[in-house]
Amino acid sequence: MSDPFFTPVSGFDLPRFAGVPTFMRLPHVDFDHPRFSDVQVGLIGAPWDGGTTNRPGPRHGPRQLRDMSTMIRAQNGATGVRPFEALNCADLGDVAPNPADVMDSLKRMEAFYASVHAAGIRPLTGGGDHLCTLPILRALAKDGPVGMVHFDSHTDLFHSYFDGTMYTHGTPFRRAVEEGLLDPKRVVMIGIRGTAYDNEDRDFADSVGIRVIPIEEFHARGVDDVMVEAREIAGQGATYVSYDIDFVDPAFAPGTGTPEVGGPNSFQALQVVRALQGLNIIGADLVEVSPPFDPSGATAYLGASIMFELLCVMAR
């Protein structure tokens, strides 16, 4: 039986446009809250885009994601899953970055997620740019490398930017492999596309055994076939899921800093998450929602819907 404390506020009790917005209208539980130790999945905001190299804005993503997530209801219409009855879920608030210092922000985020992990809570994060995933992995993979299913239009496997800057939203998974946080042979990257400067990232992926599924292959094979392979690659070991909203075609998700045309539609964006069923997911994130490029909130609503699908898979 579900714990009433962790039940989201119903739209029948308080209109969705009223009240303080939390992720999916869940209770806000900070580290000092007496129910903190009872949380099983913590929804967390990572309002930071210090790794952005072109169009900033994802620092505002968590706030808009929370606002749009008030539309989420109790039951998954496709799978029937009722995640808030299966798990004690809460909004753990935002990690507090240092907007003027990349390295300090990485340390702050790692410490925050280390505390979450130590409490036995699986994090589900709304970002923030994709560099946010690196400190999360540092916190979750201290005991050994994990697998990863990565939805994106970019590999984020580059070595560095400009004069050797090593920490941007284009480098987190290169660092994660180098630091032993990811087992590259259990990593699959799906939806990769767009113009490129060179083949550096793809060459690195090949050299360490990361499976890259470009968008042309994704469309040719279809969601079901691609996701069978993705589950096989991740296996039954601990697996992290990282979902960049620019995986989705900008016709459906324009509010992001580095859009790439030719991507999946919004239905396929949900299908790929549902097909993660059966994996041992230790945490997940939805990153790169940038409200300045979509003030309507449509991109954030899709992002919140993807987060709900991730939560449903984690609940099963």
Side-chain angles (χ1 to χ4, degrees):
M1 183 176 293
S2 58
D3 186 327
F5 176 81
F6 293 104
T7 301
V9 177
S10 170
F12 291 131
D13 297 325
L14 182 70
R16 299 185 182 282
F17 53 80
V20 176
T22 59
F23 278 120
M24 304 179 198
R25 311 194 91 188
L26 288 162
H28 176 215
V29 176
D30 60 24
F31 290 170
D32 297 324
H33 195 283
R35 299 300 305 272
F36 178 75
S37 61
D38 297 325
V39 178
Q40 294 171 297
V41 173
L43 285 77
I44 300 165
W48 184 65
D49 57 9
T52 302
T53 57
N54 186 21
R55 304 197 304 177
R59 67 181 63 187
H60 303 293
R63 184 166 293 184
Q64 194 182 46
L65 283 165
R66 280 191 176 93
D67 193 24
M68 299 310 295
S69 77
T70 61
M71 290 297 295
I72 298 297
R73 300 177 181 86
Q75 180 170 309
N76 189 308
T79 66
V81 174
R82 298 176 66 88
F84 309 118
E85 295 179 5
L87 294 168
N88 290 344
C89 305
D91 188 327
L92 303 187
D94 285 347
V95 59
N98 178 347
D101 192 318
V102 170
M103 302 309 291
D104 184 47
S105 291
L106 292 174
K107 291 177 182 177
R108 286 166 174 255
M109 295 178 71
E110 180 181 353
F112 184 100
Y113 284 91
S115 296
V116 170
H117 184 55
I121 299 171
R122 288 184 289 167
L124 174 55
T125 301
D129 73 38
H130 223 150
L131 185 55
C132 294
T133 307
L134 178 60
I136 299 173
L137 288 173
R138 285 173 173 172
L140 301 187
K142 288 186 181 296
D143 298 328
V146 302
M148 183 176 71
V149 180
H150 175 205
F151 301 104
D152 205 327
S153 59
H154 313 99
T155 65
D156 298 343
L157 285 172
F158 289 96
H159 177 266
S160 60
Y161 276 52
F162 293 94
D163 59 352
T165 300
M166 307 296 280
Y167 297 97
T168 76
H169 66 170
T171 68
F173 302 126
R174 182 72 161 257
R175 299 290 88 80
V177 171
E178 293 169 349
E179 295 177 21
L181 308 175
L182 291 174
D183 175 354
K185 291 181 172 55
R186 293 186 54 231
V187 173
V188 56
M189 299 183 167
I190 303 169
I192 308 305
R193 62 187 186 275
T195 57
Y197 294 110
D198 53 37
N199 291 324
E200 179 208 333
D201 59 329
R202 300 288 190 97
D203 291 343
F204 177 79
D206 291 342
S207 72
V208 297
I210 291 174
R211 172 71 164 111
V212 174
I213 299 178
I215 197 63
E216 293 79 10
E217 182 179 347
F218 175 87
H219 285 311
R221 293 173 58 188
V223 170
D224 291 342
D225 189 40
V226 166
M227 293 310 297
V228 166
E229 182 183 359
R231 291 194 301 272
E232 290 174 349
I233 291 170
Q236 293 303 304
T239 300
Y240 190 82
V241 179
S242 191
Y243 199 126
D244 188 324
I245 197 67
D246 72 31
F247 168 73
V248 187
D249 192 275
F252 303 92
T256 192
T258 315
E260 302 286 358
V261 299
N265 62 34
S266 58
F267 180 59
Q268 292 169 316
L270 305 181
Q271 283 184 302
V272 294
V273 178
R274 293 170 186 164
L276 296 171
Q277 182 60 48
L279 294 183
N280 177 16
I281 298 175
I282 61 168
D285 62 49
L286 182 283
V287 298
E288 296 285 0
V289 170
S290 187
F293 298 106
D294 186 7
S296 74
T299 303
Y301 182 50
L302 177 58
S305 300
I306 291 166
M307 291 180 71
F308 180 72
E309 294 290 346
L310 286 165
L311 183 61
C312 289
V313 171
M314 295 167 78
R316 295 177 73 180

